[in-house]
Amino acid sequence: MKTYKIAAIPADGIGIEVIAAGLAVLDACAADDGGFRLDTTHFDWGSDYYKKHGAMMPANGCDQLRSFDAIYFGAVGAPDVPDHITLWGLRLAICQPFDQYANVRPTRIFPGIKSPLRDVADRDLDWVIVRENSEGEYAGQGGRSHRGLPEEVGTEVSIFTRAGVTRIMRYAFRLAQARPRKLLTVVTKSNAQRHGMVMWDEIAAEVAREFPDVTWDKMLVDAMTARMILKPATLDTVVATNLHADILSDLAAALAGSLGIAPTANLNPEHKFPSMFEPIHGSAFDITGKGIANPIGTFWSGVMMLEHLGEKRAADRLMSAIETTLADPANHGPDLGGKANTRQVTDAVKAALQASARASLPVRAQVPELVPAGA
Ligand code: IPM
Ligand code: MG
């Protein structure tokens, strides 16, 4: 039987609760499938580790992770550790060295979930946001001088490289090409940012020539927020810089009903390094330990992980179980206006998985193609 080595890093806050739920569901999924198993190793890195050791993870952390097939990540952030330390000390400290340059964020309105948009039908909002995940505004360039003096300076430099922009554009065009509508929107801000963003646009146009069957357009990021709300059905695949996509993906998740549902894949599409899968939400210390975190975002991230590992059938089954579960409002947690807790949602997904395994129901392929051929 195939065995995949999974590194679990629950880290902080509700990350611990949702990763436990996610692993239980993934193990159930593997057992139902019968063709593979997950061999999971837990890492206790995060803010508590930081308080004991002065670092979010050991200096050789990435070396410890290198031989894994995938990383399943919870959330970072604690009330008593500055956010830039938790983020740069763990999540970005893994994303950058492992060159997980494609951050993929699918969003859909599931049957049973109410969007805050008044007149939107479920099928009108089915997007995948591709976030450049290695450079741009998160490149880590900049500094501070004259600290504390009135002359103090702080710079935060965005870095755009031809190599970095070309590869994310190619990835986004390939992903758009693999989806039925073959439609891509390139988000930009080249009216105001006339260097890096103009290069971004030029490279988009160059790469577009390699994909004559993909329809694409360009959208300024401010106007994009209005379009997402007013004309959601005109969008399908979206590519944006690190920061623009960070912001737009929170909007997308809210429009689809809740941040608690939304998944992320931090991909190294070439499989040179392990990729990392995590719910989009943060550590949510206001509800930590209450057992009410919505585990769906973690389950859907698990679907993306299975897909990336090549376990398409299991990925489809888990996606269907998520759909079945969300269709029943009894399985909605507080973030969706319901009363279900983490355990109830987890049990409902496991039950839906078992029912589909017993009935051998045909499963619908709902998972976007994550590693389009030739990526
Ligand atoms: C995300 C998050 C992170 C980010 C936070 C935790 C720093 O918002 O994954 O979208 O901005 O990248
Ligand atoms: Mg974000």
Side-chain angles (χ1 to χ4, degrees):
M1 189 184 303
K2 267 181 285 176
T3 300
Y4 299 108
K5 284 179 65 193
I6 306 298
I9 311 178
D12 298 340
I14 59 168
I16 293 163
E17 299 159 50
V18 293
I19 287 296
L23 287 171
V25 158
L26 285 170
D27 282 338
C29 200
D32 286 343
D33 184 87
F36 69 97
R37 58 180 285 272
L38 303 179
D39 173 13
T40 305
T41 305
H42 283 264
F43 293 87
D44 65 346
W45 305 340
S47 295
D48 285 343
Y49 188 94
Y50 174 81
K51 286 176 212 160
K52 274 188 232 136
H53 304 282
M56 293 289 289
M57 68 175 188
N60 70 350
C62 282
D63 292 334
Q64 294 188 40
L65 295 175
R66 203 173 297 270
S67 64
F68 284 85
D69 294 306
I71 303 164
Y72 202 32
F73 191 89
V76 278
D80 47 359
V81 184
D83 286 339
H84 65 275
I85 290 183
T86 55
L87 178 70
W88 280 95
L90 192 56
R91 189 161 158 279
L92 292 179
I94 297 170
C95 285
Q96 284 198 352
F98 284 167
D99 209 16
Q100 295 165 348
Y101 66 84
N103 181 293
V104 181
R105 302 188 159 189
T107 316
R108 286 168 47 204
I109 301 178
F110 287 90
I113 302 285
K114 235 171 118 202
S115 164
L117 293 175
R118 203 182 335 149
D119 294 322
V120 74
D122 297 348
R123 64 176 179 284
D124 289 342
L125 198 163
D126 183 352
W127 304 331
V128 186
I129 297 180
V130 176
R131 172 180 182 179
E132 200 297 314
N133 211 35
S134 65
E135 54 178 33
E137 308 86 345
Y138 282 56
Q141 298 263 339
R144 283 174 69 178
S145 325
H146 316 302
R147 277 184 189 251
L149 297 178
E151 303 72 23
E152 182 167 357
V153 190
T155 58
E156 198 71 55
V157 182
S158 297
I159 300 291
F160 294 96
T161 64
R162 177 162 280 277
V165 177
T166 304
R167 67 184 183 175
I168 200 66
M169 288 299 167
R170 237 176 229 143
Y171 185 84
F173 271 96
R174 284 217 177 100
L175 182 51
Q177 192 179 45
R179 285 171 54 90
R181 294 173 69 196
K182 301 190 192 305
L183 186 64
L184 176 70
T185 299
V186 176
V187 174
T188 183
K189 190 64 196 176
S190 50
N191 55 344
Q193 298 183 302
R194 61 204 164 127
H195 309 297
M197 288 277 79
V198 172
M199 185 180 84
W200 170 271
D201 292 1
E202 286 171 9
I203 293 173
E206 285 168 28
V207 172
R209 282 185 227 120
E210 299 169 22
F211 299 87
D213 55 338
V214 174
T215 307
W216 74 287
D217 64 354
K218 212 171 71 178
M219 200 75 209
L220 295 171
V221 65
D222 46 350
M224 182 68 173
T225 58
R227 180 166 164 194
M228 286 168 72
I229 291 168
L230 299 175
K231 292 185 179 163
T234 66
L235 297 165
D236 185 81
T237 309
V238 174
V239 62
T241 69
N242 218 325
L243 181 63
H244 290 167
D246 175 41
I247 297 165
L248 296 179
S249 58
D250 265 31
L251 175 59
L255 294 177
S258 169
L259 206 59
I261 296 176
T264 306
N266 298 283
L267 297 179
N268 175 255
E270 293 80 14
H271 290 249
K272 279 191 206 141
F273 301 98
S275 292
M276 181 158 73
F277 302 83
E278 56 170 343
I280 197 173
H281 62 69
S283 51
F285 16 89
D286 52 325
I287 58 161
T288 298
K290 295 189 176 158
I292 56 168
N294 188 345
I296 295 286
T298 308
F299 299 163
W300 195 355
S301 304
V303 171
M304 299 179 87
M305 185 162 87
L306 291 172
E307 178 88 351
H308 184 72
L309 293 171
E311 296 298 336
K312 178 91 176 95
R313 184 180 54 185
D316 283 350
R317 269 195 201 285
L318 180 51
M319 197 71 220
S320 293
I322 291 171
E323 285 180 12
T324 307
T325 301
L326 287 177
D328 181 354
N331 296 322
H332 294 181
D335 59 311
L336 292 167
K339 291 203 171 66
N341 61 29
T342 312
R343 165 164 282 277
Q344 284 163 330
V345 180
T346 307
D347 289 346
V349 170
K350 280 199 216 160
L353 268 175
Q354 267 165 14
S356 83
R358 263 201 311 276
S360 291
L361 296 175
V363 288
R364 277 180 298 145
Q366 289 289 356
V367 188
E369 203 56 50
L370 286 185
V371 191

